Structures are given as structure tokens and as C-alpha cells.
Amino acid sequence: MSRVFLTGFMGCGKSVTGALLAARLSVDFIDLDDRIAKMAGCSVEEIFSEQGEQTFRRLESAALQSLPNGIVCALGGGTFIDPENRAWSLNKAEVLYLRVGVPELVRRLRADRTARPLLQDQEGRPLGVAQMENRIRSMIDEREPIYRQAHQTIDVDGVSPEDAADKCWEAYQSRNDRR
């Protein structure tokens, strides 16, 4: 096994599903955002607010390309959007896109207390429901065609993390059985 990368919009369940999938595959799990924060010595939110998104994206690319073999990794929601990161990922890993619809994303992200810089207003406050839905819909409209370039799309809308991990495992197994 080389690498399995999970991609998709923030809140789609990459981290929870990834950890469950890694356990099932008996490999280590890495959350790319956690790896970036460790490398930078500060949180992703601090990188965004103090150094900007461009600096974060450079750190993200470096962290991505430093990943070892034999792991499952939850990519950040924007990692796969960068053409160089996407090409590298598709060449070096099995990439699974966890697809979730906008209403479910809004529900999940409203319930999640994680600071999400891309879902905050100019003053760093979380967006209201309507604003959040509009922002997510706009971002999904841009990102969906790119996410669909992953090796496989796994529909996890309304699915438990355990069932999502099962679907990912089945997709991984079926693709590797065909090789």
C-alpha cells in the first residue's frame, strides 16, 4: 500500500473517516492540517490570520510532499484544488473524494466549533446560516469539478463515519483488485 488521500470540502468527514479507514488498513493516519500546524509551530487559524492564505498554501504543499508511504491522509479542503498538489496526489496516492451535499455541509459545519477561516467574516466571526450556505455553495460550485478528478467519488451525504470508512475501504479494495 502506498498512500490513500481523502479529499473533499471542509466538514465532509475526512479526518474522522480517515482515522477509521487507517485503523482498518492497519496504517498510520495523518491529518494534513495538523501536520502543517506542527511544521509551522502555530495553528492553521493563526497562519491564515497572521501570514495569509498564500503562506498557508505554500506550507500545505511542502507538508503534502513530505508525507511518507503507507498512510491514510485527510487533505485540507483546498489542498487538491491546487493543480500541482492535485497532480502530485494523483500520481503518488489513491485519492478518494468524499462528496457531501450543501445542506448537510451547512448542518455539520454549524455544529462544529472548529475555527474555519474561510467561513468567517472580515472580523473573524463565524458567518450566519444564510451567508454560510451561500459561501459553501459558491465554493462547491468551483471545487466540485476538481474534486471529481479524484480516482473515486464516495457519496457520504447523511452517512455515519463508520459507514463512510466502510465505503472507502470497499472502493480502495475494488480498485486494487482490478490492478
Side-chain angles (χ1 to χ4, degrees), residues 44-59:
V44 168
E45 184 178 21
E46 290 170 322
I47 298 167
F48 263 85
S49 66
E50 296 169 12
Q51 301 172 48
E53 185 175 359
Q54 190 173 28
T55 297
F56 173 78
R57 296 299 175 197
R58 277 196 307 274
L59 292 168

mmCIF file of all heavy atoms in Angstrom, residues 44-59:
data_model
loop_
_atom_site.group_PDB
_atom_site.id
_atom_site.type_symbol
_atom_site.label_atom_id
_atom_site.label_comp_id
_atom_site.label_asym_id
_atom_site.label_seq_id
_atom_site.Cartn_x
_atom_site.Cartn_y
_atom_site.Cartn_z
ATOM 1 N N VAL A 44 -3.510 26.489 12.206
ATOM 2 C CA VAL A 44 -3.902 26.878 10.853
ATOM 3 C C VAL A 44 -4.573 28.245 10.887
ATOM 4 O O VAL A 44 -4.301 29.110 10.043
ATOM 5 C CB VAL A 44 -4.830 25.808 10.228
ATOM 6 C CG1 VAL A 44 -5.490 26.320 8.953
ATOM 7 C CG2 VAL A 44 -4.054 24.530 9.959
ATOM 8 N N GLU A 45 -5.433 28.465 11.876
ATOM 9 C CA GLU A 45 -6.115 29.763 12.005
ATOM 10 C C GLU A 45 -5.098 30.892 12.179
ATOM 11 O O GLU A 45 -5.226 31.961 11.565
ATOM 12 C CB GLU A 45 -7.096 29.732 13.179
ATOM 13 C CG GLU A 45 -7.900 31.016 13.294
ATOM 14 C CD GLU A 45 -8.905 30.980 14.426
ATOM 15 O OE1 GLU A 45 -8.746 30.169 15.366
ATOM 16 O OE2 GLU A 45 -9.834 31.790 14.374
ATOM 17 N N GLU A 46 -4.061 30.664 12.992
ATOM 18 C CA GLU A 46 -3.029 31.694 13.179
ATOM 19 C C GLU A 46 -2.244 31.937 11.893
ATOM 20 O O GLU A 46 -1.910 33.083 11.577
ATOM 21 C CB GLU A 46 -2.074 31.291 14.309
ATOM 22 C CG GLU A 46 -2.702 31.346 15.680
ATOM 23 C CD GLU A 46 -1.830 30.713 16.758
ATOM 24 O OE1 GLU A 46 -1.176 29.678 16.486
ATOM 25 O OE2 GLU A 46 -1.809 31.268 17.867
ATOM 26 N N ILE A 47 -1.958 30.880 11.149
ATOM 27 C CA ILE A 47 -1.250 31.054 9.875
ATOM 28 C C ILE A 47 -2.083 31.928 8.946
ATOM 29 O O ILE A 47 -1.574 32.894 8.365
ATOM 30 C CB ILE A 47 -0.944 29.693 9.204
ATOM 31 C CG1 ILE A 47 -0.021 28.847 10.078
ATOM 32 C CG2 ILE A 47 -0.321 29.916 7.825
ATOM 33 C CD1 ILE A 47 0.080 27.391 9.651
ATOM 34 N N PHE A 48 -3.378 31.614 8.822
ATOM 35 C CA PHE A 48 -4.262 32.396 7.957
ATOM 36 C C PHE A 48 -4.324 33.856 8.402
ATOM 37 O O PHE A 48 -4.165 34.765 7.584
ATOM 38 C CB PHE A 48 -5.686 31.816 7.963
ATOM 39 C CG PHE A 48 -5.981 30.902 6.819
ATOM 40 C CD1 PHE A 48 -5.649 29.557 6.884
ATOM 41 C CD2 PHE A 48 -6.612 31.366 5.674
ATOM 42 C CE1 PHE A 48 -5.935 28.697 5.834
ATOM 43 C CE2 PHE A 48 -6.903 30.511 4.619
ATOM 44 C CZ PHE A 48 -6.561 29.177 4.699
ATOM 45 N N SER A 49 -4.542 34.091 9.705
ATOM 46 C CA SER A 49 -4.755 35.459 10.177
ATOM 47 C C SER A 49 -3.472 36.282 10.233
ATOM 48 O O SER A 49 -3.504 37.483 9.983
ATOM 49 C CB SER A 49 -5.447 35.461 11.549
ATOM 50 O OG SER A 49 -4.604 34.911 12.531
ATOM 51 N N GLU A 50 -2.343 35.658 10.543
ATOM 52 C CA GLU A 50 -1.096 36.407 10.707
ATOM 53 C C GLU A 50 -0.219 36.426 9.464
ATOM 54 O O GLU A 50 0.537 37.365 9.247
ATOM 55 C CB GLU A 50 -0.306 35.841 11.897
ATOM 56 C CG GLU A 50 -1.045 36.011 13.215
ATOM 57 C CD GLU A 50 -0.416 35.236 14.361
ATOM 58 O OE1 GLU A 50 0.726 34.738 14.211
ATOM 59 O OE2 GLU A 50 -1.083 35.123 15.406
ATOM 60 N N GLN A 51 -0.297 35.349 8.643
ATOM 61 C CA GLN A 51 0.598 35.256 7.488
ATOM 62 C C GLN A 51 -0.137 35.197 6.157
ATOM 63 O O GLN A 51 0.488 35.331 5.114
ATOM 64 C CB GLN A 51 1.506 34.024 7.646
ATOM 65 C CG GLN A 51 2.355 34.085 8.914
ATOM 66 C CD GLN A 51 3.101 32.790 9.146
ATOM 67 O OE1 GLN A 51 3.727 32.262 8.236
ATOM 68 N NE2 GLN A 51 3.038 32.276 10.361
ATOM 69 N N GLY A 52 -1.445 34.945 6.202
ATOM 70 C CA GLY A 52 -2.251 34.941 4.997
ATOM 71 C C GLY A 52 -2.401 33.579 4.361
ATOM 72 O O GLY A 52 -1.649 32.641 4.641
ATOM 73 N N GLU A 53 -3.388 33.494 3.475
ATOM 74 C CA GLU A 53 -3.692 32.226 2.817
ATOM 75 C C GLU A 53 -2.553 31.763 1.913
ATOM 76 O O GLU A 53 -2.267 30.575 1.820
ATOM 77 C CB GLU A 53 -4.990 32.322 2.012
ATOM 78 C CG GLU A 53 -5.401 30.994 1.415
ATOM 79 C CD GLU A 53 -6.743 31.003 0.710
ATOM 80 O OE1 GLU A 53 -7.422 32.048 0.682
ATOM 81 O OE2 GLU A 53 -7.109 29.937 0.168
ATOM 82 N N GLN A 54 -1.873 32.705 1.264
ATOM 83 C CA GLN A 54 -0.784 32.326 0.352
ATOM 84 C C GLN A 54 0.329 31.584 1.095
ATOM 85 O O GLN A 54 0.839 30.574 0.619
ATOM 86 C CB GLN A 54 -0.240 33.563 -0.353
ATOM 87 C CG GLN A 54 0.710 33.245 -1.474
ATOM 88 C CD GLN A 54 1.089 34.486 -2.264
ATOM 89 O OE1 GLN A 54 1.087 35.592 -1.744
ATOM 90 N NE2 GLN A 54 1.414 34.290 -3.526
ATOM 91 N N THR A 55 0.700 32.071 2.279
ATOM 92 C CA THR A 55 1.714 31.394 3.083
ATOM 93 C C THR A 55 1.219 30.016 3.501
ATOM 94 O O THR A 55 1.958 29.025 3.437
ATOM 95 C CB THR A 55 2.075 32.228 4.325
ATOM 96 O OG1 THR A 55 2.645 33.459 3.884
ATOM 97 C CG2 THR A 55 3.038 31.499 5.244
ATOM 98 N N PHE A 56 -0.056 29.953 3.914
ATOM 99 C CA PHE A 56 -0.627 28.663 4.298
ATOM 100 C C PHE A 56 -0.539 27.677 3.138
ATOM 101 O O PHE A 56 -0.154 26.518 3.326
ATOM 102 C CB PHE A 56 -2.086 28.803 4.748
ATOM 103 C CG PHE A 56 -2.746 27.479 4.986
ATOM 104 C CD1 PHE A 56 -2.510 26.763 6.153
ATOM 105 C CD2 PHE A 56 -3.585 26.931 4.029
ATOM 106 C CE1 PHE A 56 -3.082 25.515 6.358
ATOM 107 C CE2 PHE A 56 -4.172 25.684 4.227
ATOM 108 C CZ PHE A 56 -3.924 24.987 5.391
ATOM 109 N N ARG A 57 -0.871 28.111 1.932
ATOM 110 C CA ARG A 57 -0.867 27.209 0.775
ATOM 111 C C ARG A 57 0.548 26.725 0.452
ATOM 112 O O ARG A 57 0.726 25.570 0.041
ATOM 113 C CB ARG A 57 -1.514 27.869 -0.448
ATOM 114 C CG ARG A 57 -2.996 28.203 -0.266
ATOM 115 C CD ARG A 57 -3.845 26.990 -0.004
ATOM 116 N NE ARG A 57 -5.237 27.363 0.277
ATOM 117 C CZ ARG A 57 -6.121 26.575 0.835
ATOM 118 N NH1 ARG A 57 -5.801 25.334 1.189
ATOM 119 N NH2 ARG A 57 -7.340 26.983 1.053
ATOM 120 N N ARG A 58 1.557 27.559 0.657
ATOM 121 C CA ARG A 58 2.949 27.109 0.452
ATOM 122 C C ARG A 58 3.313 26.038 1.476
ATOM 123 O O ARG A 58 3.923 25.014 1.136
ATOM 124 C CB ARG A 58 3.917 28.297 0.558
ATOM 125 C CG ARG A 58 4.047 29.102 -0.717
ATOM 126 C CD ARG A 58 5.272 29.997 -0.715
ATOM 127 N NE ARG A 58 5.370 30.859 0.454
ATOM 128 C CZ ARG A 58 4.784 32.056 0.576
ATOM 129 N NH1 ARG A 58 4.056 32.536 -0.395
ATOM 130 N NH2 ARG A 58 4.943 32.765 1.674
ATOM 131 N N LEU A 59 2.954 26.277 2.733
ATOM 132 C CA LEU A 59 3.212 25.288 3.785
ATOM 133 C C LEU A 59 2.457 23.983 3.501
ATOM 134 O O LEU A 59 2.983 22.888 3.721
ATOM 135 C CB LEU A 59 2.801 25.839 5.150
ATOM 136 C CG LEU A 59 3.628 26.993 5.694
ATOM 137 C CD1 LEU A 59 2.934 27.633 6.898
ATOM 138 C CD2 LEU A 59 5.021 26.513 6.072
#
